[in-house]
Amino acid sequence: MKTFDPSTCINDYLVFGEFGDVNPSITDSSTFTFRNPGKMEELFDHEIEGCFLYSRHWNPINKYLSNALARFEDTESAQVTSSGMGAISSAILEICSSGDEVISGRTIYGGTYALFKNFLPKLGIKVKFVDLNDHKLIENSITDKTKIIYGESVSNPLLEILDIPKVSEIAKKYGLKFIVDNTFSPMIITPVRLGADITVHSMTKFINGTSDCVAGCICSTHDFIASLVDITSGATMLLGPVLDSFRAASILKNLHTLHLRIQKHSENAMFLAEEFEKLGVKVYYPGLRSNRHHGLLDSIRNEGFGFGGMIAIDAGDYNKAAQLMTRMQEEKVGYLAVSLGYFKTLFSSPGHSTSSEIPEEEQKKMGLSDGLVRFSIGLDNDIQPAYEKIKKCMKEINIIK
Ligand code: PLP
């Protein structure tokens, strides 16, 4: 187990507002003044510390949030974006040109899958989907056109763990950039410490934690972030997925409670996963010793944050899954809603929602069954009552005896 503690990095991050405010001031301007035109010209050429030009490029509050994220992902630099998809697409397009290839894990978020399968080919970028646990297959899929290996640290929705140290060895051997989407496991996994080059997040999820906005980030080296914001050629500068500064301010405040939230999400998820397993339900949770990726996650995770707040169960078929979700919402276990990382429990059926972009045949190949229900477990102080309600619903629908 690694000894890195991302929460200390956040705790040590002290910034002051204009008048010594404990929360840095919100930037309420799209543009910034200069005392002389020469300085403006200089800024068009290269970044100048503490000097701002235009909010699509940088503004102070987005910089503060980006710096906090860089500390917590242990990277030299970071940039916030207006969505997780904005972060993923910008990172890919910064690296790839027409004719290039990407090797991607096949169990990934449906929106990312659709971007890779349907959109990137329009730009002449080809994506090969492989099982990233099959390291021979990764090597066999690499050609002289390959530029990127892309995967999710904890995959959506089957919660498979990416062997980041092993895949990063392959990426380094062939001179490829290794991008890891760490949306499901902030605090728990620090991909760059394990060998990844770029970490992306949908901050919409656990990092923000209040399901009131859409946001993302890219964490990497100074050089990579500088290339993204390059005024004449950078992907974020020119595609423009800029995060609104009011949102950056609220996300920065929420980031400071992330360590506590992740601990509680993990504690509640572990309890439910163990109880579901005892009931004989098929459970996917990498915190369970019976899970095939338990040992791997245990060997790469940061101590003290558990195994994450996501669980998936197999209800048997879609009909039962749909009935279970309807009944759980009626019983006030949580909400039948996509997304994750909220303080209330959320549940959805991936095959019929967040992974529906993936063709049925592919879903079968990756082991995504029709009866799968994905849970993002909430922050209930006592999770036992929620468990009792879920058990009651499972009995009614004949998922358990
Ligand atoms: N990555 C993962 C793992 C996700 O689950 C999602 C959204 O569900 C995204 C990326 C996309 O993020 P956003 O909705 O913030 O654009």
Side-chain angles (χ1 to χ4, degrees):
M1 207 184 285
K2 305 280 158 188
T3 51
F4 180 65
D5 181 357
S7 65
T8 314
C9 304
I10 296 296
N11 203 30
D12 284 351
Y13 186 66
L14 271 193
V15 285
F16 299 96
E18 214 177 339
F19 301 102
D21 334 13
V22 292
N23 292 308
S25 316
I26 299 173
T27 311
D28 200 19
S29 289
S30 57
T31 191
F32 298 82
T33 58
F34 288 79
R35 285 221 169 78
N36 66 72
K39 199 77 173 169
M40 185 187 273
E41 196 177 353
E42 202 185 323
L43 197 53
F44 263 84
D45 189 48
H46 59 88
E47 264 192 67
I48 306 168
E49 174 89 31
C51 204
F52 297 92
L53 173 73
Y54 186 62
S55 274
R56 174 157 44 81
H57 183 240
W58 273 124
N59 67 45
I61 187 72
N62 285 13
K63 194 89 184 177
Y64 287 138
L65 177 58
S66 299
N67 288 345
L69 291 159
R71 281 179 168 232
F72 127 86
E73 280 297 357
D74 206 24
T75 55
E76 289 174 3
S77 190
Q79 191 187 23
V80 292
T81 56
S82 56
S83 69
M85 290 311 294
I88 295 164
S89 53
S90 299
I92 300 278
L93 293 176
E94 186 57 38
I95 299 167
C96 289
S97 309
S98 177
D100 289 340
E101 292 178 3
V102 174
I103 293 177
S104 169
R106 56 181 190 172
T107 54
I108 54 171
Y109 164 59
T112 312
Y113 183 90
L115 170 76
F116 289 178
K117 180 100 177 169
N118 307 329
F119 199 92
L120 292 186
K122 292 201 280 186
L123 307 176
I125 300 165
K126 181 174 165 188
V127 182
K128 292 178 183 166
F129 296 94
V130 304
D131 176 357
L132 290 183
N133 288 322
D134 186 341
H135 303 135
K136 264 256 141 5
L137 181 61
I138 300 178
E139 290 210 51
N140 290 342
S141 307
I142 294 171
T143 70
D144 56 359
K145 292 180 182 146
T146 311
K147 290 284 173 350
I148 293 172
I149 302 180
Y150 180 96
E152 294 178 358
S153 44
V154 178
S155 77
N156 185 6
L158 292 169
L159 313 178
E160 291 175 343
I161 306 300
L162 179 61
D163 191 340
I164 301 173
K166 188 81 212 152
V167 177
S168 83
E169 263 174 41
I170 302 172
K172 283 187 176 60
K173 181 171 161 192
Y174 292 91
L176 311 177
K177 288 268 184 260
F178 181 25
I179 304 182
V180 176
D181 180 336
N182 199 27
T183 299
F184 276 37
S185 46
M187 292 280 163
I188 300 166
I189 296 177
T190 310
V192 166
R193 288 184 69 84
L194 301 167
D197 298 295
I198 298 161
T199 301
V200 290
H201 276 280
S202 165
M203 297 204 293
T204 315
K205 314 291 161 35
F206 286 105
I207 289 186
N208 185 50
T210 42
S211 285
D212 53 0
C213 75
V214 174
C217 68
I218 306 167
C219 306
S220 188
T221 57
H222 281 309
D223 284 353
F224 188 69
I225 302 300
S227 71
L228 284 169
V229 294
D230 186 288
I231 291 175
T232 55
S233 61
T236 52
M237 182 61 191
L238 301 178
L239 297 172
V242 63
L243 181 62
D244 182 75
S245 47
F246 282 82
R247 275 304 170 201
S250 64
I251 295 170
L252 181 57
K253 282 173 276 191
N254 289 359
L255 186 62
H256 284 272
T257 58
L258 180 62
H259 58 301
L260 299 171
R261 290 186 279 117
I262 292 290
Q263 285 164 9
K264 192 64 182 169
H265 282 301
S266 291
E267 183 191 312
N268 287 349
M270 183 63 124
F271 175 85
L272 289 177
E274 283 179 342
E275 294 302 322
F276 291 160
E277 192 171 52
K278 281 185 217 156
L279 293 175
V281 176
K282 186 167 181 189
V283 193
Y284 300 83
Y285 185 64
L288 292 174
R289 284 185 189 282
S290 57
N291 184 283
R292 69 189 174 109
H293 289 151
H294 174 77
L296 172 59
L297 178 53
D298 207 25
S299 70
I300 60 171
R301 74 192 174 106
N302 298 314
E303 205 169 347
F305 304 101
F307 293 85
M310 302 298 294
I311 296 182
I313 65 156
D314 195 339
D317 57 45
Y318 178 57
N319 194 19
K320 283 186 173 169
Q323 285 183 59
L324 177 65
M325 293 188 294
T326 309
R327 285 292 295 119
M328 287 194 300
Q329 182 160 255
E330 285 165 1
E331 290 289 337
K332 300 187 171 51
V333 171
Y335 297 103
L336 198 183
V338 295
S339 203
L340 49 126
Y342 189 42
F343 46 79
K344 292 275 190 193
T345 295
L346 303 177
F347 33 84
S348 56
S349 158
H352 294 260
S353 59
T354 47
S355 298
S356 57
E357 290 92 338
I358 304 173
E360 239 178 271
E361 202 174 299
E362 281 295 315
Q363 291 189 21
K364 277 205 185 101
K365 264 198 233 160
M366 53 202 252
L368 202 163
S369 70
D370 214 30
L372 203 73
V373 178
R374 187 190 78 176
F375 289 80
S376 167
I377 306 300
L379 296 175
D380 312 35
N381 189 37
D382 178 8
I383 198 72
Q384 179 83 31
Y387 165 67
E388 298 297 342
K389 289 178 191 171
I390 300 170
K391 190 165 80 172
K392 181 177 140 199
C393 299
M394 283 176 169
K395 273 194 180 152
E396 276 175 26
I397 301 157
N398 271 332
I399 295 171
I400 54 169
K401 293 273 173 280

